[in-house]
Amino acid sequence: MSKVQEICQAVESGKAKLVVELVEGALAEGVNPMEILNDGMVGAMTNIGEKFRRNEIFVPEMLVAARAMKKGLEILKPHIGEENRVSIGKAVIGTVEGDLHDIGKNLVVMMVEGAGFEVIDLGVDATPAKFVEVVKADPEVKIVGLSALLTTTMPAMKRIIDALAEAGVRDQVKVLVGGAPVTDSYAKEIGADGYSEDAAGAADLAKSFVA
Ligand code: B1M
């Protein structure tokens, strides 16, 4: 079994300590960090999601896998997007109100930071009022990034866009949306400026908006 496959298996079974060791080992052997991320860790979460859908595992198993992935990400972070250290603008990014999934959002934060933005990370369950507060307080914020993983929390994205408009700051920012259930057509329907299916695409889009 390859190192990346071992990482995938360790994340799936929620073995955080082992994930840390394996990621450190893979990096030391010169394995590409993006391969570790996409084939090892993200692949593991996809498998976990499928098992959950088939009722083969339950929320606690999803939680331990998520924790193991986060530990691995801490090791990987300094190796991803290191080349850009000069700020090209500010972005505020969060998982929308009612939604507690933050692994994808954390990846978006990492990639957008790697693309050269200074990121204000609102974490999970971020309300429209919180986004408005940050954008109003700081005219340097040019990008608003919204992540949703549940079909039930997708409408919160529209509420945030509406709240920005009501506060008179909608034109000051570009709104990017994403997350597993979100689509390009949904993004257009709610008046977002951009949609990306993955974190690297979100960073590219953000960059294109300030170019
Ligand atoms: Co939950 N969960 N979960 N969960 N969970 C999903 C999302 C689900 C699809 C599982 C399933 O049924 N197969 C399902 C949603 C069904 C739906 O609505 N369509 C689900 C459910 C039902 C739930 C609960 C309701 C379960 C329950 O309690 N009965 C509950 C809800 C809690 C809440 O949020 N209020 C719940 C809870 C949890 C845990 C807390 C246990 C845990 C989250 C831990 C954490 O994040 N800290 C969890 C997990 C781990 C998952 C799965 C297994 C994995 C999610 C993940 O981290 N994926 C997930 C199944 C799946 O997605 N296959 C599932 C890896 C991550 C890298 O991918 O987040 O999609 P993702 O991010 C991608 C892209 O989407 C994109 O970039 C990333 C890749 O580069 N992206 C963006 C994300 N945000 C973006 C923003 C952008 C652009 C791109 O621009 C700004």
Side-chain angles (χ1 to χ4, degrees):
M1 199 190 298
S2 75
K3 263 268 149 52
V4 171
Q5 283 168 329
E6 281 185 63
I7 291 168
C8 185
Q9 221 171 61
V11 171
E12 255 191 85
S13 38
K15 294 183 177 146
K17 238 177 108 185
L18 181 62
V19 171
V20 168
E21 281 167 27
L22 288 170
V23 173
E24 282 172 347
L27 288 169
E29 279 175 23
V31 180
N32 185 324
M34 291 308 288
E35 191 188 333
I36 299 176
L37 178 65
N38 291 324
D39 301 341
M41 297 182 176
V42 176
M45 296 316 282
T46 307
N47 297 345
I48 284 284
E50 275 153 23
K51 286 184 182 166
F52 179 74
R53 210 176 357 247
R54 294 197 298 264
N55 288 324
E56 289 169 17
I57 59 160
F58 301 96
V59 172
E61 286 94 334
M62 283 207 287
L63 259 181
V64 286
R67 245 178 249 146
M69 171 147 183
K70 279 189 176 177
K71 286 285 171 201
L73 274 180
E74 283 169 20
I75 309 295
L76 213 52
K77 189 175 174 184
H79 301 270
I80 292 176
E82 267 191 320
E83 66 276 13
N84 283 304
R85 283 288 169 242
V86 183
S87 175
I88 59 169
K90 281 191 188 172
V92 56
I93 300 176
T95 300
V96 300
E97 193 173 19
D99 203 318
L100 304 176
H101 295 86
D102 67 353
I103 295 175
K105 184 271 297 170
N106 292 344
L107 284 180
V108 174
V109 168
M110 268 167 65
M111 296 294 176
V112 170
E113 276 176 347
F117 286 87
E118 198 180 314
V119 175
I120 300 160
D121 184 349
L122 294 186
V124 296
D125 196 18
T127 61
K130 193 70 205 160
F131 279 96
V132 168
E133 184 191 318
V134 171
V135 174
K136 270 185 110 168
D138 193 344
E140 303 269 293
V141 174
K142 300 290 178 222
I143 305 289
V144 171
L146 309 176
S147 179
L149 262 286
L150 299 171
T151 41
T152 49
T153 56
M154 285 164 65
M157 294 179 149
K158 174 149 174 22
R159 289 199 291 278
I160 292 166
I161 294 174
D162 290 347
L164 291 169
E166 271 162 36
V169 290
R170 175 65 185 91
D171 294 340
Q172 184 186 312
V173 292
K174 297 286 186 192
V175 179
L176 306 183
V177 297
V182 182
T183 60
D184 193 33
S185 67
Y186 184 74
K188 290 195 174 87
E189 189 186 312
I190 62 171
D193 300 296
Y195 158 79
S196 167
E197 66 174 0
D198 59 27
D204 287 344
L205 260 179
K207 252 200 315 203
S208 74
F209 284 132
V210 298

